Amino acid sequence: MIINSQNLTHKKLNEKIRSAVKSGVNRIELENVNGQRYIASGLKANVKIEIHGIAGNDLGSFMSGPEINVLGNAQDCVANTMDAGKISVHGSVGDILGYGMRGGKVFIKEDAGYRAGIHIKSYFAKGESASGGKEMVPVIVIGGSVRDFFAEYMAGGIMILLGLSGDKNIAGNFIGTGMHGGTIYIRGKIAKSQLGREVEFVKLDKSDDEIIKKYVSEFCGAFNLDRKKILREKFVKLKAIYHRPYGTIYAY
Amino acid sequence: MKKSLLFPDFTVIRDPDKCIQCEVCVRQCAFDAHSFDKAANKVETDASKCVSCLRCATMCPTGALTVSEYQQNIRKNKNWTDKQIKELYKQAETGGILLTGMGTDKDYKIIWDHILLDAAQVTNPSIDPLREPMELRTYLGSKPDKIQLKIKNEKLKIEKPLSTFYSPLTKLPPQLKLETPILFSAMSYGAISLNTMRALARASDECGIFYNTGEGGLPKELYKYGKNTIVQVASGRFGVDPDYLDVAAAVEIKVGQGAKPGIGGHLPGEKVTDEISQTRMIPTGTDALSPAPHHDIYSIEDLSQLIYSIKEATEYKKPISVKVAAVHNIAAIASGIVRAGADIVAIDGLRGGTGAAPTRIRDNVGIPIELAIAAVDSRLRGEGIRNRASIIAAGGFRNSADVVKAIALGADAVYIGTAALVAMGCHLCQKCYTGKCNWGIATQDPYLVKRLNPEIASRRLVNLIKAWSHEIKEIMGGMGINAVESLRGNRLRLRGFDLHENELKILDIKPAGESM
Ligand code: SF4
Ligand code: SF4
């Protein structure tokens, strides 16, 4: 189904998307998207949405399930508090990518702004039955570079930064400030001075290689990139030093 | 290491004639103040561990225990009180930020106690609330600037309902319907026990009011109380997913809290149990950090973006509230919140409670809710936007008279937190942050949690709400007012007693003795 988004407010556009989903449509193409915010906000469905144009702020916020493909850039707060699903952006995104995200995947072909991956977290979601349940591990892969405060307050999940854009500085400063869980992989060189106080470099092992290979392959599949070329380069791994960064500053 | 210089806060006296060595007190005290000394074959007490929660004294079958202030007399000094000295010792010994629980205990002037209510005499007669209908029902949400009606039939007939002649063209934004203008304040799972939440949820259901999950997520078991639940979205985004937003009656964006304006939440890792991890959707055992800033909000426009993001996610079916602490510039802040598109503004004053806050912040930051309500209501009226959002006032409401005064100053409803906890058994020992609440409220310890029976606790809450509602009706009746709508913002029926001119000006009420 094709929805022409020209001159539609975000409210109207989302109404159309939701009613299409309700009527059982599972592929939607949005044409002429020009900065409309909140596309697919809170949408809980298995639907593929292709966006032609620039997606506005809060793309896919709170959503659970949809697969969104943006053929263009997206603005701030993409995947805000996203629960499940997938967002691929064939361009760059603004600040605060994946705020509080706790499931699903986000692939950005080019760059992301400040505070990418802030508050991203993982947990084990118990199912209804005692034996059931699944590990919720959000994954963000960014092809280009990012600005300051990458993975701030990170509490879980996986963040991979590839630095393919050729920028000299692939990340800004204060990487992983307040981080207390999860893993960051960065392809290329990062100076210790760029790290927040709560993170440190750790050695990669076999399982890391697997993880990187898995998600980089998926990333390359989404954007038609040469996986081998990307994987040839060395990655560094960052982990939180403490699970309880501020556990000792109080008097009980 | 040298012995601590800290001296105890309390003295525990055990009457040897009454004590039967049953060890109830030993089992009751999670702070380990009582122990059984095998060698001496009797119960001993280390009063330095006592926090005066009175659990042991209440449970002692023979009434043998008395807890009182520490009785060693440190030389009296108005500047350097026992409390100040002890805090200095504690910091000298730990190097830590002082933590505390509940609302401030500092001796600030309570303006409620300097506001007097009016009653009708001779002319405009009072109403007997026992015989006449009294309307406490309250709707929270944005009200339209004007209402357009379509006339269906020009010839009005008095015996037919109005709807046969008019049909409304204006669509009313979503509203919360309350049977009485009281809600239970945000208290999060993690800070309080599941049993406490169960009691709050049940009581809300029974009273036709609402409780608030705080930022700790909503346990699946409580989804059935969704229609009485306000869920919070805070900076850590704990437990927020489409189901959580969907099941709630309203969504509240937490920006600030009266007990700790400008300070974030921080649930220590040891309290992040399996259940808490499930509900907050965070990893087990790691600190749950919700810093004061939402890093996607740096302006009113950004706040508006989050409000509309949630409105889109909930298909414009629920009112969105924004909760802030009452700070110096609260009137302008509230105006910004209303203009950002919030349907409800919740304002939490200086005396608001908390499960854990740095003592210095709790005791020194913010302004009293009395002044904040008046300042905000005046400002919104002045700007002609008061109808666009409802105001919920919070922060230390102690009784129904406080509620009536708050509404007369301009609030639509009030949040009660501490009063509700006290109704359930809290003794205000201020140790909530330790997680050892002997009353089973602010704890996750299964042994302690069991002490609060949700059935009994919810009954006590229902009684409290019922009693306050009756009292509110009685006070209104005395004023000759039969609907809470007519009380709202009715500052003419308030008088200030022993208040400064400036306070009267901000409250916009006349001094006692001055006529209409
Ligand atoms: S802390 Fe409570 S239970 Fe323990 S001794 Fe003091 S009053 Fe008794
Ligand atoms: S909730 Fe419990 S720990 Fe907190 S003040 Fe009340 S009795 Fe004390």
Side-chain angles (χ1 to χ4, degrees), chain B residues 136 180 182 206-207 209 400 459-473:
Chain B
L136 292 190
T180 193
I182 303 168
E206 203 173 322
C207 298
I209 58 169
S400 60
R459 179 101 332 264
R460 295 178 67 96
L461 288 169
V462 170
N463 283 342
L464 181 81
I465 297 297
K466 215 165 85 187
W468 284 25
S469 300
H470 275 148
E471 288 178 341
I472 294 170
K473 285 183 180 176

Side-chain angles (χ1 to χ4, degrees), chain A residues 179-195:
Chain A
M179 179 170 169
H180 50 292
T183 317
I184 304 175
Y185 301 104
I186 301 179
R187 177 179 166 278
K189 279 213 177 73
I190 290 290
K192 191 146 193 280
S193 62
Q194 284 174 274
L195 304 189

Side-chain angles (χ1 to χ4, degrees), chain A residues 44 99 102 121 124 244, chain B residues 235-236 240 243 270 278 287:
Chain A
K44 195 174 174 179
Y99 186 148
R102 79 177 76 80
K121 52 197 96 206
F124 184 79
R244 306 209 34 211
Chain B
S235 68
V240 183
D243 294 343
E270 69 253 21
Q278 288 299 302
D287 283 2

Side-chain angles (χ1 to χ4, degrees), chain A residues 73-113:
Chain A
N73 296 328
Q75 296 184 309
D76 294 342
C77 291
V78 170
N80 184 352
T81 324
M82 178 170 142
D83 195 52
K86 185 169 163 183
I87 298 181
S88 314
V89 179
H90 291 246
S92 294
V93 296
D95 299 336
I96 325 169
L97 170 70
Y99 186 148
M101 191 179 151
R102 79 177 76 80
K105 290 171 196 160
V106 170
F107 295 149
I108 309 298
K109 188 176 180 196
E110 290 166 15
D111 305 334

Side-chain angles (χ1 to χ4, degrees), chain B residues 86-368:
Chain B
K86 268 189 271 196
E87 287 173 350
L88 288 169
Y89 286 153
K90 196 177 221 178
Q91 292 195 300
E93 285 166 22
T94 63
I97 294 172
L98 295 171
L99 271 184
T100 186
M102 301 314 274
T104 184
D105 56 8
K106 242 174 125 174
D107 187 18
Y108 289 116
K109 172 173 178 176
I110 298 171
I111 298 176
W112 296 131
D113 295 338
H114 296 267
I115 295 178
L116 299 171
L117 294 164
D118 192 22
Q121 299 291 299
V122 187
T123 50
N124 145 30
S126 48
I127 303 167
D128 180 355
L130 299 178
R131 289 186 299 121
E132 313 266 348
M134 298 291 278
E135 186 70 59
L136 292 190
R137 185 172 294 163
T138 301
Y139 289 91
L140 301 180
S142 180
K143 311 291 186 294
D145 292 339
K146 54 177 191 271
I147 293 176
Q148 281 183 310
L149 298 171
K150 197 171 116 195
I151 299 174
K152 289 197 282 193
N153 186 345
E154 295 269 4
K155 284 189 206 114
L156 273 176
K157 278 206 189 81
I158 203 80
E159 65 276 7
K160 285 200 175 155
L162 225 51
S163 55
T164 39
F165 306 99
Y166 299 111
S167 66
L169 291 171
T170 312
K171 219 178 136 242
L172 194 67
Q175 306 285 324
L176 289 182
K177 180 176 157 194
L178 284 70
E179 293 305 331
T180 193
I182 303 168
L183 308 87
F184 297 126
S185 279
M187 288 178 262
S188 62
Y189 181 38
I192 57 169
S193 66
L194 186 54
N195 274 351
T196 313
M197 275 188 103
R198 285 180 178 132
L200 289 163
R202 269 183 219 179
S204 306
D205 181 32
E206 203 173 322
C207 298
I209 58 169
F210 298 84
Y211 77 105
N212 186 315
T213 61
E215 57 178 303
L218 180 63
K220 282 278 168 329
E221 179 204 310
L222 297 178
Y223 269 53
K224 58 175 181 278
Y225 297 106
K227 67 176 198 345
N228 298 95
T229 308
I230 299 176
V231 296
Q232 266 192 353
V233 172
S235 68
R237 299 286 200 271
F238 303 132
V240 183
D241 72 1
D243 294 343
Y244 173 83
L245 298 175
D246 198 48
V247 74
V251 182
E252 184 166 87
I253 298 171
K254 183 205 168 185
V255 174
Q257 166 180 1
K260 41 179 174 180
I263 295 284
H266 172 189
L267 190 69
E270 69 253 21
K271 288 196 195 166
V272 183
T273 59
D274 244 14
E275 280 69 41
I276 302 283
S277 146
Q278 288 299 302
T279 311
R280 294 204 173 205
M281 304 177 185
I282 53 170
T284 315
T286 58
D287 283 2
L289 302 181
S290 60
H294 284 244
H295 280 297
D296 53 349
I297 302 177
Y298 284 86
S299 63
I300 293 298
E301 289 74 19
D302 288 348
L303 174 65
S304 182
Q305 187 183 316
L306 185 57
I307 292 172
Y308 277 92
S309 196
I310 298 171
K311 284 193 177 186
E312 281 290 345
T314 54
E315 301 179 38
Y316 297 86
K317 285 181 191 152
K318 303 164 202 272
I320 309 298
S321 166
V322 174
K323 181 177 179 182
V324 285
V327 289
H328 300 185
N329 212 10
I330 188 63
I333 293 165
S335 159
I337 293 171
V338 176
R339 289 172 192 283
D343 303 286
I344 298 169
V345 187
I347 307 164
D348 194 10
L350 175 67
R351 289 185 300 268
T354 176
T359 310
R360 293 293 165 258
I361 303 290
R362 184 196 74 171
D363 289 349
N364 296 287
V365 184
I367 65 169

Side-chain angles (χ1 to χ4, degrees), chain B residues 383-402:
Chain B
E383 293 183 7
I385 55 172
R386 178 65 182 86
N387 61 301
R388 285 204 215 157
S390 296
I391 299 174
I392 308 180
F397 287 94
R398 304 158 300 165
N399 54 53
S400 60
D402 291 354

